[in-house]
Amino acid sequence: MCVLAIREQVAGLRLTFDAVTTDAWHVLSGSLQLLREEFDNTYARHHGRALPDSPAALELLQDDDLAGEWGARPVHDAHLAAISPTMAVMDHLDSLGLLFTSPGGLMASHTVARSALDIATN
């Protein structure tokens, strides 16, 4: 087999590999965007409030009783402290999805993914 034929075969394999890789990144990007949309829809549907009769809703009823040294709405503040990192992770994952489909974005995606993991584990 001549060198030219081998190069054509290798080039053909590389194109096939790039097409599969690109498609996989688009699928992952779409999944991350869908995750963000579902999170936002759920949060909006409940207006950021706890579900009725849930343990969180019962805790929030005690907000006035616990007010004082820890602030005017300590239970509410504690719930916000829990959801805030989740929102930050969703922002990072949304950006990560965009980077997966951007030219040259795969290298930058490592930084954003690391940030999301740092937020999620702290």
Side-chain angles (χ1 to χ4, degrees), residues 27-37 90 92-98 100:
V27 169
L28 182 55
S29 174
S31 295
L32 291 174
Q33 289 173 351
L34 183 62
L35 175 66
R36 174 57 187 264
E37 288 172 17
M90 288 296 149
H92 280 69
L93 292 178
D94 197 31
S95 297
L96 188 61
L98 293 173
F100 284 156

Side-chain angles (χ1 to χ4, degrees), residues 54-68 70-76 79:
S54 69
L58 297 175
E59 289 173 357
L60 287 166
L61 291 175
Q62 300 173 12
D63 219 10
D64 291 336
D65 298 338
L66 298 173
W70 291 348
R73 300 179 67 196
V75 178
H76 180 263
H79 283 258

Side-chain angles (χ1 to χ4, degrees), residues 35-54:
L35 175 66
R36 174 57 187 264
E37 288 172 17
E38 288 301 316
F39 175 81
D40 288 345
N41 290 340
T42 301
Y43 192 79
R45 186 170 43 250
H46 300 290
H47 308 289
R49 289 188 225 120
L51 294 175
D53 300 323
S54 69

